[in-house]
């Protein structure tokens, strides 16, 4: 018997939070390298140079810079994402006339994930803004763009609130939504298609394919997401970091400026650490989500 919709929402929210935390701990150093390379592509020769110079200058702590807001961002985003994903699946059911117990197709699930990402963007944008600024603070000071640096999450939050007001936390929101909607269609689409392929191969239910196939499917979903939306993410990081210096241009203007002055390569700067991170991080995300959701569903089924 399916649990009550409120209980189902709480299960999805909790499972999303577990997955979000697993995702951060497994991929944070590579995420830090990504943001630094996106914002200052001329400062680093490549991923290893960025990784090693960060380690040499600031130590291991520098690679885990922004972990607290990343943790808050990921737990908040994935809680809202997977809870909304559950709701959006019900909406898709209604629109397509699918019966309640019946399985949705992989494309229908991808559409549900795409719409769910709009809700998670509202939570993600402010926390990502703080994370990106913390991660690029050392480079902003080193290149003389800012004179005083903020070392803690609280000092960055206070500075945004004082200088820019509440709307300052939503710098880059349009770009975040523009990134999330197509990105999560690919993310959930690839994840579900991969799980279906494994289920067909092993001749079992999608929920029983095992740990390695879930991790691989999650990683594949993440890889598809990043390959599609990476230039938009690069623009988002620029807007969020550079808005420290005052009013930053919008998505299209920033995109065209980077494209014209720095070329296409700058829009893909930091793709290596992102692709390296996607399999452990997104594999951990879906493993955490599926395992905790299955555990809670079994508890409520008894």
């Amino acid at each position: 018997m399916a649990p009550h919709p409120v209980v189902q929402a709480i299960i999805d929210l909790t499972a999303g939070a577990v997955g979000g935390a697993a995702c951060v701990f497994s991929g944070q150093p590579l995420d830090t390298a990504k943001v630094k390379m996106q914002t200052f592509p001329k400062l680093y020769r490549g991923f290893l140079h960025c990784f090693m110079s960060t380690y040499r200058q600031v130590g291991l702590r520098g690679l885990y810079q922004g972990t607290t807001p990343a943790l808050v961002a990921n737990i908040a985003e994935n809680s809202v994402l997977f809870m909304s994903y559950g709701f959006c699946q019900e909406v898709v059911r209604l629109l397509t006339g699918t019966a309640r117990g019946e399985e949705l197709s992989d494309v229908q699930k991808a559409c549900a994930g795409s719409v769910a990402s709009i809700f998670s963007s509202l939570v993600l944008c402010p926390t990502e803004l703080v994370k990106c600024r913390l991660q690029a603070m050392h480079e902003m000071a080193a290149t003389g763009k800012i004179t005083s640096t903020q070392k803690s999450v609280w000092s960055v939050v206070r500075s945004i609130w004082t200088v820019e007001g509440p709307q300052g936390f939503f710098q880059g929101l349009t770009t975040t939504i523009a990134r999330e909607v197509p990105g999560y269609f690919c993310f959930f689409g690839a994840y579900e298609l991969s799980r279906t392929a494994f289920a067909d191969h092993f001749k079992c239910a999608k929920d029983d394919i095992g740990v390695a196939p879930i991790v691989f499917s999650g990683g594949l979903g993440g890889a598809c997401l990043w390959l599609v939306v990476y230039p938009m993410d690069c623009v988002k990081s620029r807007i969020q970091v550079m808005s420290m210096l005052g009013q930053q241009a919008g998505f299209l203007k920033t995109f065209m400026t980077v494209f014209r002055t720095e070329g296409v390569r700058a829009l893909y700067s930091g793709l290596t650490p992102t692709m390296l991170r996607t399999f452990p991080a997104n594999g951990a995300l879906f493993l955490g989500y599926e395992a905790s959701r299955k555990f809670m569903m079994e508890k409520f089924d008894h």
Side-chain angles (χ1 to χ4, degrees):
M1 191 183 77
H4 186 277
V6 175
V7 174
Q8 183 66 65
I10 293 166
I11 288 174
D12 288 338
L13 188 121
T14 312
V18 171
C23 178
V24 173
F25 287 121
S26 53
Q28 186 61 18
L30 293 165
D31 182 67
T32 300
K34 170 190 81 106
V35 171
K36 286 176 184 288
M37 288 173 75
Q38 283 178 329
T39 321
F40 297 96
K42 291 192 171 74
L43 217 58
Y44 299 108
R45 287 192 301 275
F47 156 61
L48 271 176
H49 178 226
C50 174
F51 197 87
M52 291 315 293
S53 48
T54 303
Y55 181 72
R56 274 199 298 270
Q57 288 156 358
V58 213
L60 193 63
R61 208 184 80 237
L63 292 167
Y64 276 92
Q65 198 75 46
T67 298
T68 309
L71 210 52
V72 173
N74 259 283
I75 288 174
E77 184 202 10
N78 287 298
S79 302
V80 174
L81 178 71
F82 284 105
M83 188 177 76
S84 307
Y85 183 46
F87 284 138
C88 291
Q89 282 189 37
E90 293 308 314
V91 174
V92 170
R93 263 182 225 289
L94 274 173
L95 294 173
T96 54
T98 313
R100 186 161 162 73
E102 210 179 312
E103 187 79 11
L104 290 174
S105 75
D106 295 337
V107 174
Q108 287 171 331
K109 284 185 175 178
C111 291
S114 184
V115 177
S117 70
I118 298 170
F119 300 102
S120 59
S121 298
L122 299 170
V123 182
L124 179 70
C125 186
T127 42
E128 275 234 315
L129 176 78
V130 176
K131 174 186 76 74
C132 287
R133 286 194 182 182
L134 265 175
Q135 287 173 321
M137 197 67 74
H138 177 80
E139 284 76 7
M140 287 294 276
T143 51
K145 286 186 165 54
I146 52 169
T147 46
S148 60
T149 62
Q150 291 131 4
K151 294 277 193 297
S152 71
V153 173
W154 180 238
S155 60
V156 174
V157 169
R158 204 171 51 231
S159 144
I160 296 168
W161 184 269
T162 315
V163 179
E164 301 162 54
Q167 71 273 23
F169 288 100
F170 291 93
Q171 291 269 13
L173 178 63
T174 318
T175 322
T176 305
I177 294 172
R179 178 193 75 172
E180 302 283 274
V181 172
Y184 276 97
F185 180 84
C186 300
F187 186 59
F188 282 107
Y191 173 66
E192 293 296 346
L193 280 167
S194 175
R195 279 207 316 156
T196 302
F198 277 116
D200 290 347
H201 179 71
F202 295 129
K203 302 197 171 24
C204 63
K206 275 168 93 170
D207 291 342
D208 303 324
I209 56 173
V211 173
I214 286 178
V215 171
F216 177 83
S217 301
L220 183 69
C224 290
L225 177 143
W226 285 114
L227 284 171
V228 169
V229 303
Y230 199 81
M232 286 179 259
D233 184 67
C234 184
V235 172
K236 180 199 71 70
S237 293
R238 290 280 182 111
I239 290 172
Q240 292 186 322
V241 173
M242 296 305 180
S243 57
M244 263 196 266
L245 309 173
Q247 193 53 45
Q248 179 65 21
F251 168 62
L252 266 177
K253 207 166 178 190
T254 308
F255 183 88
M256 289 316 291
T257 307
V258 175
F259 182 72
R260 272 202 300 267
T261 57
E262 299 170 50
V264 177
R265 273 194 67 177
L267 290 167
Y268 282 93
S269 183
L271 186 63
T272 310
T274 305
M275 296 312 279
L276 286 174
R277 171 179 150 254
T278 189
F279 274 86
N282 289 299
L285 164 70
F286 273 111
L287 187 62
Y289 167 71
E290 296 287 358
S292 55
R293 187 175 186 273
K294 197 173 178 182
F295 173 77
M296 287 183 282
M297 290 292 273
E298 281 169 2
K299 285 277 172 271
F300 279 99
D301 272 349
H302 293 321

